[in-house]
Amino acid sequence: LNEEIEEVSVEKQRAEAISEAEATNLYMGEIVSVQASRNRKMLEDFFGWDIPIDTPPMILEQYLGNDRVWEDRLSREAQGTVPQDRTIGGQIKSYLHSQAMKVKAGKMTPKRFDNLGYMFKIIKEQVGEGRDVASITEQDIEKLHLFLLGKLALRLKDPIGKAGYSEDYASGILSRFKAFVRYLHVNRLVDDLPRNLDSSSIRVQEKPKQKMTDEEVKAILKGIPDNNQLKLHILLMLNCGYRGMDIATLRESEIEGDRIIRKRHKTKDRKHTPTVNYKLWDETRRLLDLWRTGDDIALLTKSGGRWVYGDLIEGEDGSNKTKQTDNIATNFKRIVRRGLGIDRPYSLLRKTAASKLDEHPEYGRYAEHYLGEKPESVAKRHYITPSQDQFDTAIAWLGKQFGIN
């Protein structure tokens, strides 16, 4: 600071000593100020730039001279210190806190919240976090957009497809930043939305649907003994289209004889999602009776813990961190992917069974109901109730495709 004060003092003395003729020549661009010359040399030395020797003095003075220095300095002083709750970083913290409340209320999974944290870390690196949120402009949207396109290019060039970002991830980051900007606008922290907010996007191409072969499914079921609960988990994924969290949250009250009657965990609070009545295959029911606890939660680990769970932990500084465990995925990786050599994620079991139903000329109309998803059409949502008898027949047929009765 002392050095800067001394430098300003020297410049002031020089300005007072300059003659009227010299001032006129300086204004008309016929000579270059000491400050402009000094800044020019600094740029050439530091950045390795080569500023042409015949650059007009007026241009050098405009961009490197005293007027520019004082203009920037006064601009910074006018802005002053931005209050923390007005900075981009401060508002991102507030936004993530509101999302954390959704996790606590059961409206968002800890895994999804975790992903938000990673995404906003990237966003802060690109647009900065100490600026006033009101300074967000079209240029920030474009900068992030171009950065993400660069990451897509890296992924495209990588022979093993690991570098950069996937289309889904890049699109998710851009979409989340756009949602954040709208959040600021709704809360009157931003007066006008950037004009390119809607036009900037990353298109995600539809990928070929993956599924297991019938032989792979049969090999998995054959390769796991009855004394490992993983076999029951796989049967529930095929019989009921369940994911890990559906299995981990299955309640005794939802099991009625040879049936499970419930909404899926993910969609239980959503309007128009169906309560599905699954008739269990004989093998599914046999193993379910073998492993069920008789307590509120029907299936637990040997130590009495949840098979899949996620918790939100609030730190002393007010930050939120997640703790997630998927014991089903761990077992599947150890026993199936490594032990049996079938290197496929367990999520494909549900997709494989649904695709098998969808391909059937008669039972295909029950694939959506089997997955527990909200019916797409208004007619299905309000007027058409799937036939339980026909759905039972479809589920029985599905089991036979995998050699299960």
Side-chain angles (χ1 to χ4, degrees), residues 111-295:
K111 183 177 181 180
R112 186 178 177 190
F113 178 78
D114 236 12
N115 287 337
L116 287 182
Y118 291 125
M119 288 181 175
F120 274 107
K121 182 178 179 181
I122 294 168
I123 290 169
K124 286 190 292 186
E125 289 172 353
Q126 292 306 306
V127 303
E129 56 181 312
R131 295 163 43 200
D132 193 317
V133 289
S135 68
I136 295 176
T137 65
E138 289 81 359
Q139 284 70 37
D140 295 301
I141 303 292
E142 185 62 13
K143 181 182 179 182
L144 180 62
H145 188 205
L146 292 175
F147 167 78
L148 295 171
L149 290 177
K151 290 294 185 180
L152 291 180
L154 287 176
R155 173 64 61 92
L156 193 62
K157 292 179 181 178
D158 185 15
I160 60 174
K162 295 294 185 181
Y165 300 155
S166 68
E167 288 180 341
D168 289 314
Y169 193 61
S171 177
I173 293 172
L174 185 59
S175 297
R176 186 52 61 176
F177 183 52
K178 289 160 69 173
F180 172 67
V181 174
R182 289 192 176 93
Y183 161 85
L184 297 175
H185 185 250
V186 168
N187 287 279
R188 299 183 182 276
L189 294 168
V190 173
D191 292 333
D192 299 308
L193 290 174
R195 295 182 180 181
N196 60 349
L197 193 65
D198 292 324
S199 59
S200 298
S201 63
I202 293 176
R203 183 179 178 184
V204 179
Q205 298 181 0
E206 187 174 356
K207 300 175 180 64
K209 294 179 181 178
Q210 293 185 330
K211 58 183 180 179
M212 294 184 183
T213 64
D214 294 354
E215 290 70 27
E216 285 176 324
V217 175
K218 291 175 182 177
I220 291 172
L221 290 171
K222 185 178 179 181
I224 304 175
D226 290 357
N227 63 1
N228 192 310
Q229 197 176 143
L230 180 62
K231 187 169 186 177
L232 170 61
H233 299 162
I234 290 171
L235 284 168
L236 288 170
M237 292 175 194
L238 296 169
N239 197 157
C240 307
Y242 282 171
R243 289 192 171 103
M245 187 59 78
D246 297 312
I247 294 169
T249 56
L250 178 63
R251 298 184 179 279
E252 279 287 338
S253 58
E254 297 167 334
I255 304 171
E256 298 184 16
D258 62 351
R259 295 180 179 275
I260 292 177
I261 305 172
R262 69 184 298 214
K263 284 189 174 187
R264 286 190 53 235
H265 174 78
K266 183 178 179 180
T267 61
K268 65 181 185 297
D269 296 325
R270 296 181 186 174
K271 193 176 182 180
H272 301 308
T273 53
T275 298
V276 186
N277 185 331
Y278 298 97
K279 182 173 175 58
L280 301 178
W281 301 324
D282 292 344
E283 185 71 353
T284 308
R285 182 182 181 182
R286 182 178 71 82
L287 291 179
L288 182 60
D289 288 341
L290 176 66
W291 288 106
R292 59 197 289 191
T293 63
D295 295 326

Side-chain angles (χ1 to χ4, degrees), residues 1-127:
L1 181 60
N2 289 334
E3 290 176 357
E4 186 173 358
I5 292 172
E6 183 179 352
E7 183 180 332
V8 170
S9 178
V10 171
E11 290 295 332
K12 182 180 178 184
Q13 292 173 13
R14 180 183 179 278
E16 291 173 347
I18 195 168
S19 67
E20 185 176 345
E22 288 177 322
T24 302
N25 289 336
L26 180 62
Y27 179 78
M28 295 302 293
E30 295 180 9
I31 65 174
V32 180
S33 68
V34 174
Q35 185 66 43
S37 298
R38 185 184 299 158
N39 288 341
R40 173 179 180 168
K41 187 176 186 307
M42 180 191 71
L43 291 174
E44 290 179 328
D45 292 345
F46 189 79
F47 293 104
W49 292 357
D50 184 16
I51 300 176
I53 195 169
D54 58 348
T55 301
M58 185 177 291
I59 299 298
L60 292 173
E61 197 62 39
Q62 179 181 354
Y63 289 99
L64 302 175
N66 285 329
D67 288 345
R68 173 61 65 181
V69 172
W70 281 106
E71 180 184 325
D72 290 344
R73 188 172 296 168
L74 289 172
S75 175
R76 290 196 301 269
E77 289 177 358
Q79 289 177 0
T81 304
V82 181
Q84 180 61 25
D85 63 350
R86 288 282 313 182
T87 64
I88 293 175
Q91 281 302 313
I92 285 177
K93 184 177 180 179
S94 296
Y95 181 76
L96 288 176
H97 181 73
S98 69
Q99 302 305 300
M101 294 302 101
K102 291 183 179 181
V103 178
K104 292 180 179 180
K107 303 299 181 181
M108 179 185 289
T109 65
K111 183 177 181 180
R112 186 178 177 190
F113 178 78
D114 236 12
N115 287 337
L116 287 182
Y118 291 125
M119 288 181 175
F120 274 107
K121 182 178 179 181
I122 294 168
I123 290 169
K124 286 190 292 186
E125 289 172 353
Q126 292 306 306
V127 303

